[in-house]
Amino acid sequence: LAKTTQPISMDSYEGQEVNITCSHNNIATNDYITWYQQFPSQGPRFIIQGYKTKVTNEVASLFIPADRKSSTLSLPRVSLSDTAVYYCLVGVQYGGATNKLIFGTGTLLAVQP
Amino acid sequence: SAVISQKPSRDICQRGTSLTIQCQVDSQVTMMFWYRQQPGQSLTLIATANQGSEATYESGFVIDKFPISRPNLTFSTLTVSNMSPEDSSIYLCSVEGVGDTEAFFGQGTRLTVV
């Protein structure tokens, strides 16, 4: 399973767009890139998953360059409630024989008014 | 999707004792996962629990310390045995929803060992 590297923390203000970049130089051909969000005293929650190019849902966008060695989670117009830890994971093969998640350090996003 | 209930939500235990954490899912799932999250840290996978077979433990975790049961497709337990203060953590249960591309987590059990 590929190792990921993310910034330990980021600060932002309400209404701004936040981009969190994750490096995964050893990503394998079959690996997907998945992001989870964790609030204090809660379990992680799925945000978005992608393989290449761009994926968008109602919560976020995920940008993946052609070489797939990095990815960027984009949160549009953050609010105070977006303050959380964001985890980037690669190597999750849903539907395969092994679906365990290996978490990296995560990025603590602090949104201020 | 899957809804996961963990019990207890928190507990304070004496060192040397054991605590069993229950994880109940509202749908049948093939695999269930147990994680540990130490204070201020990321999640670490303890083991994968399949129904009808022994759990598969990750490096650094052993069955004697963290015995796991998986009696059916909706339920699992994790026991933290012979506890020490170093076992103070949040323990989380996780499953993958059938047909989904995401994993679902319980709220966690916050364990404090004194």
Side-chain angles (χ1 to χ4, degrees), chain A residues 36 38 41-44 46 49 87 94-95 97 99-101 103-105, chain B residues 31 33 35 37 41-43 45 58 92 96 101-103 105-107 110:
Chain A
Y36 280 79
Q38 186 180 26
S41 302
Q42 294 187 23
F46 173 89
Q49 183 184 72
Y87 293 99
Y94 291 111
N99 296 310
K100 61 185 182 181
L101 303 180
F103 285 80
T105 57
Chain B
M31 288 184 284
F33 306 90
Y35 289 83
Q37 188 169 28
Q41 303 296 313
S42 181
L43 287 78
L45 180 65
E58 298 296 310
L92 298 111
E96 181 195 44
T101 60
E102 62 186 275
F105 287 80
Q107 295 283 77
R110 182 180 295 272

Side-chain angles (χ1 to χ4, degrees), chain A residues 7-47:
Chain A
I8 296 297
S9 64
M10 293 182 68
D11 293 323
S12 183
Y13 293 94
E14 282 191 294
Q16 288 188 335
E17 177 184 77
V18 172
N19 296 309
I20 306 174
T21 297
C22 177
S23 298
H24 28 80
N25 291 320
N26 297 322
I27 189 169
T29 302
N30 295 330
D31 287 345
Y32 280 73
I33 300 158
T34 311
W35 287 78
Y36 280 79
Q37 175 191 55
Q38 186 180 26
F39 296 113
S41 302
Q42 294 187 23
R45 184 182 72 167
F46 173 89
I47 301 175

Side-chain angles (χ1 to χ4, degrees), chain B residues 52-106:
Chain B
S53 63
E54 278 199 10
T56 303
Y57 289 83
E58 298 296 310
S59 175
F61 297 95
V62 295
I63 187 171
D64 290 346
K65 176 66 176 178
F66 298 101
I68 289 172
S69 77
R70 182 77 200 276
N72 57 53
L73 292 174
T74 64
F75 187 78
S76 177
T77 67
L78 169 76
T79 298
V80 186
S81 303
N82 188 25
M83 289 182 287
S84 67
E86 292 70 34
D87 294 319
S88 297
S89 291
I90 298 173
Y91 292 86
L92 298 111
C93 171
S94 174
V95 305
E96 181 195 44
V98 175
D100 290 331
T101 60
E102 62 186 275
F104 299 92
F105 287 80

